[in-house]
C-alpha cells in the first residue's frame, strides 16, 4: 500500500481540478441568477478557466524542469487554494472570473504537468499503466461527484461551499507532501524561453477568444460586435491573428533549437507519431466531453426546468460508467493495444451521441436519456484509461515535464474549444432557427416580425421560454402572437441543442483519422528525443 501513497496524493489534485468544472456546469442557472447575468457570460467564465490552463500549461511544464516538479506541484496547490478561497467569496462576476478562471487556472497549470511527470517518475512498466488508469478514474470520479455534489449543494445550500471545501482539501494534500518523491536533478537546469512563453499564451488566447465570441459577434455577418473589419464580423480576423502568432511561436522555437538554446518546448517531440496522435485524441476527448457537458445541462435546466440537483442526478449515469470503465479498462490496453481500445471508445461515443440526439425532446424520456448517458460514459472511460499512459510512455525520462505540459495543454485547449465552439454552434443554430420560424410564421403580424427582428439583431441568448413570453407581453403583442413567438423559440431551442450535439458527433468521427499512429500492441516503446532534437531509437517504457 505504501507504494501507492504518492499516487493517492497526486491523484487527489487531478480529482479536485475536474470537480469544480463539473460543479460550474450544473450551476449555470444559479450563477446566472446570483450574478444577474446571461448564459453567455457564464460560458465565457468557464471557457476562460480552460483557456488560462491551456495557455500556461506548457509554461507550467517548463517551470517544473527549471524549479523542480515536486516544488512546482506544491506551489501550484497554494495558488489553486487561494483562487478557490476567492471564488467562494466572489461578490461579482468579475471577481468570480479572477478567482476561478485566472488564479485557479494558473494554479492548475502549475500542478497538472508536474503531477503527470511525478506519476511517470514514480511508477514503471505495468505499474505506470495502472497509475494512469487510476488518474483517469479519479478524473472520472470528479465528473461523477461534481454534478451530484455540486447540484445538491447549489440547490439546497450554495455553490460557494464547494470552493470553500476545495481549500480544505488543498490544505490536507499539502500536509501529505512528504510522500511525494522526486529524483535529484542531474545536469544544469534549463532556462525559461520568455518570448516563446508570451507567443504561445497570446496565440492560444486569441484563437479561443475568437471562437468564444463568435456566438455574440457572428462568424462572417456581424451580429453584435464592438467593431467590424471591412464590414465583416471580427471573429475570423481574431482567430487568424491567433494562428499567425502561433506560427511565429513555431518559427521562434525552431530557431532556438537550431541555435542550441533552451526552447519553451522541443517541437521535435511532436514528430513522435504516438505522442502526436495521443495529444490529438486528448484534444478531441475534452472537446467532445466539455461541449456536451455545457450543452446537456442547458437542456436539463433551461428546457426541462430542472434544478441543479436534479440535473446532477441525470448526469450521474455518465459519471458512474466513466469512473468504472476508466478504472477497469487499463488492462484492455495490455491485451488489445491502445489503438484498438481508442477506436472502440470512439465508436462507443458515436453510438451514444446518436442515441442522445434521439432523446432531445420537449418532454424528457428519463430511461432513454440515462441509457444514452451511460454509454457516453463508457466511451469516455475507455479513452481516459489509455491516453495519459500513451503520451507519457512515448517519451524518455527527460521529456516527462514537457510531455505533461503538452498533455494538459491539449486537454484544456479541447475543454476551452468545447465550451466555446459548441456553445457558439448552439447559439448560432438557435438564432438561425428562431429567425426563420418568425419570418415564416403566418400567425405573426408584420409589426411583431419587425420587433422580433430588432431583438434578434441585438443578440439572442439561451433563456427559459417564460422570459421570451414575458418580453413579448411587455412589447404589447396580442396573446395569440405571444404564444406563437414562445412556441417558435421553444422549437428553436431544441434545434440549437441538436445542432450542438450533432457537431460533437462529427468531431468524434473525425477523431478516427488521428488514431493510426497510436500503439497497435502492448509493450511497444517509443523513441525518445536525443540532444540533437530528432527522434532516435531509444525505447521508452511500455504502454
Amino acid at each position: 500500500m505504501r507504494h501507492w501513497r504518492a499516487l493517492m496524493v497526486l491523484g487527489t489534485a487531478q480529482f479536485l481540478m475536474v470537480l469544480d468544472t463539473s460543479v460550474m456546469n450544473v450551476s449555470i442557472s444559479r450563477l446566472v441568477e446570483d450574478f444577474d447575468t446571461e448564459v453567455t457570460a457564464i460560458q465565457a467564465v468557464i471557457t476562460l478557466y480552460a483557456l488560462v490552463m491551456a495557455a500556461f500549461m506548457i509554461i507550467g511544464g517548463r517551470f517544473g524542469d527549471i524549479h523542480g516538479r515536486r516544488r512546482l506541484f506544491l506551489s501550484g496547490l497554494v495558488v489553486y487554494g487561494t483562487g478557490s478561497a476567492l471564488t467562494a467569496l466572489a461578490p461579482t462576476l468579475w471577481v468570480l472570473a479572477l478567482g476561478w478562471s485566472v488564479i485557479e487556472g494558473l494554479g492548475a497549470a502549475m500542478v497538472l504537468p508536474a503531477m503527470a511527470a511525478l506519476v511517470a517518475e514514480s511508477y514503471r512498466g505495468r505499474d505506470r499503466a495502472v497509475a494512469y488508469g487510476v488518474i483517469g478514474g479519479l478524473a472520472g470520479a470528479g465528473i461523477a461527484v461534481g454534478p451530484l455534489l455540486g447540484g445538491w449543494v447549489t440547490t439546497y445550500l450554495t455553490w460557494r461551499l464547494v470552493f470553500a471545501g476545495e481549500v480544505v482539501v488543498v490544505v490536507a494534500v499539502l500536509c501529505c507532501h512528504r510522500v511525494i518523491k522526486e529524483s535529484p536533478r542531474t545536469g544544469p537546469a534549463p532556462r525559461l524561453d520568455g518570448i516563446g512563453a508570451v507567443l504561445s499564451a497570446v496565440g492560444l488566447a486569441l484563437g479561443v477568444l475568437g471562437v468564444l465570441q463568435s456566438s455574440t459577434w457572428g462568424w462572417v455577418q456581424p451580429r453584435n460586435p464592438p467593431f467590424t473589419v471591412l464590414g465583416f464580423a471580427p471573429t475570423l480576423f481574431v482567430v487568424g491573428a491567433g494562428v499567425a502568432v502561433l506560427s511565429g511561436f513555431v518559427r521562434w522555437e525552431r530557431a532556438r533549437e537550431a541555435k542550441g538554446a533552451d526552447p519553451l518546448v522541443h517541437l521535435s517531440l511532436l514528430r513522435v507519431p504516438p505522442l502526436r496522435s495521443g495529444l490529438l485524441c486528448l484534444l478531441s476527448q475534452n472537446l467532445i466531453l466539455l461541449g456536451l457537458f455545457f450543452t446537456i445541462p442547458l437542456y436539463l435546466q433551461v428546457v426541462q426546468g430542472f434544478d441543479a440537483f436534479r440535473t446532477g442526478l441525470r448526469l450521474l449515469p455518465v459519471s458512474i460508467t466513466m469512473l468504472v470503465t476508466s478504472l477497469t479498462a487499463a488492462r484492455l490496453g495490455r491485451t488489445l493495444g491502445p489503438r484498438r481500445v481508442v477506436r472502440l471508445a470512439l465508436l462507443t461515443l458515436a453510438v451514444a451521441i446518436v442515441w442522445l440526439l434521439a432523446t432531445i425532446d420537449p418532454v424528457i424520456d428519463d430511461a432513454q436519456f440515462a441509457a444514452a448517458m451511460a454509454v457516453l460514459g463508457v466511451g469516455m472511460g475507455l479513452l481516459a484509461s489509455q491516453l495519459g499512459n500513451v503520451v507519457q510512455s512515448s517519451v524518455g525520462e527527460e521529456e516527462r515535464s514537457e510531455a505533461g505540459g503538452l498533455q494538459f495543454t491539449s486537454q484544456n485547449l479541447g475543454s476551452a474549444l468545447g465550451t466555446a465552439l459548441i456553445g457558439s454552434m448552439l447559439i448560432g443554430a438557435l438564432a438561425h432557427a428562431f429567425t426563420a420560424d418568425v419570418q415564416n410564421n403566418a400567425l405573426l403580424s408584420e409589426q411583431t416580425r419587425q420587433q422580433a427582428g430588432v431583438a434578434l439583431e441585438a443578440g439572442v441568448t439561451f433563456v427559459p421560454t417564460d422570459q421570451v413570453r414575458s418580453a413579448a407581453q411587455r412589447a404589447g403583442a396580442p396573446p395569440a402572437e405571444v404564444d406563437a413567438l414562445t412556441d417558435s423559440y421553444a422549437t428553436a431551442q431544441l434545434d440549437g441543442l441538436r445542432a450542438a450535439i450533432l457537431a460533437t458527433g462529427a468531431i468524434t468521427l473525425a477523431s478516427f483519422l488521428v488514431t493510426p499512429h497510436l500503439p497497435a500492441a502492448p509493450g511497444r516503446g517509443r523513441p525518445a528525443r536525443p540532444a540533437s532534437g530528432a527522434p532516435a531509437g531509444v525505447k521508452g517504457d511500455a504502454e
Side-chain angles (χ1 to χ4, degrees), residues 82-298:
T82 302
S84 296
L86 184 59
T87 302
L89 300 172
T92 66
L93 185 66
W94 292 110
V95 177
L96 177 76
L98 175 63
W100 189 64
S101 304
V102 178
I103 299 178
E104 283 195 43
L106 289 172
M110 298 167 67
V111 167
L112 291 174
M115 181 272 294
L118 288 167
V119 170
E121 184 176 323
S122 301
Y123 303 99
R124 297 287 190 274
R126 179 168 294 186
D127 281 353
R128 179 179 293 165
V130 171
Y132 275 105
V134 170
I135 291 294
L138 287 169
I143 294 172
V145 173
L148 198 59
L149 174 64
W152 186 86
V153 173
T154 298
T155 300
Y156 298 109
L157 298 169
T158 171
W159 54 269
R160 298 176 188 274
L161 285 179
V162 175
F163 295 93
E166 287 188 349
V167 177
V168 177
V169 175
V170 166
V171 172
V173 172
L174 290 172
C175 290
C176 300
H177 68 277
R178 294 184 184 278
V179 304
I180 303 172
K181 306 297 182 184
E182 182 181 13
S183 301
R185 182 192 305 278
T186 57
R191 295 177 178 272
L192 178 66
D193 173 15
I195 294 177
V198 171
L199 289 173
S200 67
V202 171
L204 288 168
L206 285 172
V208 177
L209 174 65
V211 175
L212 172 64
Q213 292 299 116
S214 63
S215 59
T216 303
W217 297 348
W219 281 101
V220 178
Q221 188 70 26
R223 187 175 297 149
N224 191 27
F227 62 93
T228 58
V229 180
L230 302 175
F232 297 102
T235 304
L236 294 178
F237 294 92
V238 173
V239 172
V243 172
V245 173
L246 288 175
S247 297
F249 165 72
V250 170
R251 289 194 294 271
W252 173 261
E253 294 299 290
R254 285 175 176 166
R256 284 184 68 84
E257 280 196 81
K259 292 189 298 185
D262 290 321
L264 182 67
V265 60
H266 290 88
L267 296 177
S268 54
L269 286 175
L270 299 179
R271 295 202 295 271
V272 179
L275 176 64
R276 186 174 62 246
S277 292
L279 293 175
L280 289 172
C281 285
L282 280 169
L283 189 148
S284 295
Q285 173 194 342
N286 278 46
L287 199 160
I288 296 163
L289 182 61
L290 269 295
L292 289 174
F293 263 59
F294 178 76
T295 302
I296 292 170
L298 285 179

Side-chain angles (χ1 to χ4, degrees), residues 394-417:
S394 298
V395 299
E397 296 297 329
E398 293 182 359
E399 293 90 5
R400 298 294 185 207
S401 287
E402 284 187 76
L406 290 170
Q407 174 182 340
F408 288 102
T409 297
S410 294
Q411 287 186 358
N412 289 289
L413 183 58
S415 298
L417 288 174

Side-chain angles (χ1 to χ4, degrees), residues 6-60:
L7 182 63
M8 293 169 64
V9 174
L10 294 167
T12 300
Q14 171 75 54
F15 170 83
L16 201 61
M17 288 163 202
V18 173
L19 176 72
D20 60 3
T21 301
S22 54
V23 169
M24 280 291 186
N25 283 327
V26 298
S27 303
I28 290 173
S29 294
R30 181 59 63 87
L31 290 165
V32 168
E33 180 181 334
D34 285 356
F35 293 107
D36 191 22
T37 186
E38 296 180 346
V39 167
T40 49
I42 303 303
Q43 176 195 6
V45 171
I46 294 172
T47 302
L48 181 60
Y49 175 64
L51 173 58
V52 169
M53 286 197 286
F56 291 95
M57 203 65 72
I58 295 176
I59 301 170

Side-chain angles (χ1 to χ4, degrees), residues 330-337 340-341 520-522:
R331 68 186 64 181
L332 279 178
R334 298 196 296 270
T335 55
L336 299 178
R340 290 190 183 94
V341 176

